[in-house]
Amino acid sequence: MRYLLLFLLAPALAQHVVAPGETLFSIARRYGLSVEELAQLNGLKDPDRIRVGQVLRLYREEVLPLPRGEARLEGLWVGRAALVRVTGYKAGEVRAFGRVFPLAPSGEGLLGYLGVPALEAPGAHRVELVLDGASHPLDLRVQPLPYGREVIPLTPSLQARMDPQTLRRERERVLAACRFRPGLPLRFLPPLERMEVTSPFGTRRRYGDGDWTYHEGMDLRAPEATPVRAAADGVVVLSERLSVRGEAVVLDHGLGVCTGYWHLSARTVRAGQRVRAGQVIGRVGSTGLSTGPHLHFEVRVAGLPVDPAGFLR
Ligand SMILES: [Zn+2]
């Protein structure tokens, strides 16, 4: 139940709806802000006077002046993607966290998503905007988010399925399917009619006494054969059976954003096909490395897994 609640609050992470019993202090602590920052963001003169149901802003969109225009950036959170809009330039990319996030021409400027890796440390980070060949370094703050931890016992059968070479090949296959193309800012529809999150994105995971990794998507419990729907308009770039991910579909939505749907019992789309948001693309199952019927739903930005909750409307 706790996870379900987390999910329900998460879609609008840019804001928080005050629940009974909450104080400005407890809300600020939850999102890694100080009471002063939160009060200032919301123009609150008296921090003791918040009411249940009140909507609080958690960040301000940063507007950064540039020699020939400006950049607008959504707040950066560990494990989330932020929309980047640039005016005054024709080509560019964002370099951050040892990765490159391309920007696509859009209207008067450029548009793209910058993802913060789920295991990145919160705090100050250098982000570089490379625009028409010139570099513009920015020092931005990455906000923390609470992520759980779990240790999964490594049984012999699980170990056999997790052969490093198979894992690497399959990951490369999934990553190669998604290419960068122009697009528009995205809002997702829920891929299942009833969203019961049993394991959220970002949970720190360790198999046996191996290295810590993290859950690259969200797991949604649902009965076998429940229809799975496209989260947004897109193109099917992968529809095939994989060893670990089972019956799998990947959709490309533009701006380097792709969604993955794993462990299906059936796929109802072919690679190359265009799909509309909400269109059925397959059915819930338990194929591949799975212990029961569920949908693993994931989102990657320029290959980096980010929390799907940030895109859900
Ligand atoms: Zn999963």
Side-chain angles (χ1 to χ4, degrees):
M1 270 319 283
R2 190 178 137 249
Y3 289 152
L4 184 59
L5 186 65
L6 256 181
F7 166 73
L8 291 171
L9 294 173
L13 189 68
Q15 55 191 39
H16 176 88
V17 182
V18 179
E22 284 186 324
T23 63
L24 206 61
F25 178 75
S26 71
I27 298 165
R29 196 173 53 175
R30 176 174 172 179
Y31 294 104
L33 299 167
S34 70
V35 171
E36 294 72 30
E37 281 172 311
L38 192 55
Q40 197 209 350
L41 276 172
N42 291 279
L44 303 175
K45 297 204 170 56
D46 180 359
D48 292 329
R49 289 188 57 189
I50 54 170
R51 53 185 169 70
V52 172
Q54 187 172 349
V55 177
L56 298 176
R57 288 168 60 116
L58 297 176
Y59 70 83
R60 186 174 312 175
E61 184 182 52
E62 297 239 27
V63 183
L64 306 148
L66 295 165
R68 277 161 37 200
E70 64 178 29
R72 287 174 178 266
L73 260 108
E74 288 185 339
L76 300 181
W77 300 80
V78 171
R80 298 258 169 163
L83 188 65
V84 180
R85 301 170 192 266
V86 175
T87 56
Y89 296 85
K90 290 191 170 63
E93 62 189 28
V94 184
R95 294 182 193 162
F97 316 112
R99 291 172 165 268
V100 176
F101 299 92
L103 298 174
S106 172
E108 297 293 283
L110 301 166
L111 192 61
Y113 281 98
L114 161 62
V116 181
L119 299 178
E120 196 59 68
H125 284 273
R126 171 61 58 96
V127 169
E128 198 185 350
L129 288 178
V130 181
L131 302 169
D132 294 349
S135 168
H136 305 274
L138 308 167
D139 288 308
L140 300 175
R141 191 165 154 220
V142 172
Q143 311 280 1
L145 280 175
Y147 289 111
R149 269 168 190 269
E150 61 189 8
V151 176
I152 296 171
L154 198 54
T155 59
S157 76
L158 183 57
Q159 194 153 22
R161 300 293 283 279
M162 293 186 54
D163 164 54
Q165 209 177 329
T166 311
L167 288 177
R168 192 174 337 112
R169 250 200 320 257
E170 194 172 302
R171 174 177 298 268
E172 280 165 11
R173 174 91 193 95
V174 169
L175 284 174
C178 190
R179 302 229 181 83
F180 187 81
R181 11 180 153 225
L184 294 169
L186 289 158
R187 280 276 156 238
F188 288 169
L189 291 174
L192 298 180
E193 203 166 300
R194 186 169 164 274
M195 297 282 281
E196 188 187 350
V197 181
T198 52
S199 177
F201 170 88
T203 304
R204 278 69 174 120
R205 272 186 181 175
R206 185 182 194 180
Y207 293 91
D209 53 8
D211 294 335
W212 282 99
T213 58
Y214 64 97
H215 189 212
E216 294 185 343
M218 57 166 59
D219 288 345
L220 302 161
R221 179 163 35 211
E224 178 93 16
T226 301
V228 174
R229 297 170 188 280
D233 292 358
V235 178
V236 180
V237 289
L238 181 148
S239 175
E240 61 194 62
R241 185 177 182 106
L242 300 170
S243 165
V244 176
R245 293 163 177 81
E247 300 291 347
V249 171
V250 177
L251 304 181
D252 185 334
H253 306 288
L255 297 181
V257 179
C258 282
T259 50
Y261 310 78
W262 314 150
H263 312 301
L264 305 175
S265 57
R267 293 176 277 112
T268 55
V269 287
R270 299 174 323 278
Q273 188 181 334
R274 290 202 152 269
V275 292
R276 305 306 305 247
Q279 185 176 333
V280 175
I281 56 168
R283 302 206 167 256
V284 169
S286 186
T287 54
L289 191 57
S290 166
T291 52
H294 79 285
L295 174 69
H296 170 107
F297 174 51
E298 73 176 43
V299 182
R300 285 175 186 265
V301 170
L304 176 74
V306 293
D307 192 349
F311 283 93
L312 288 159
R313 49 179 123 192

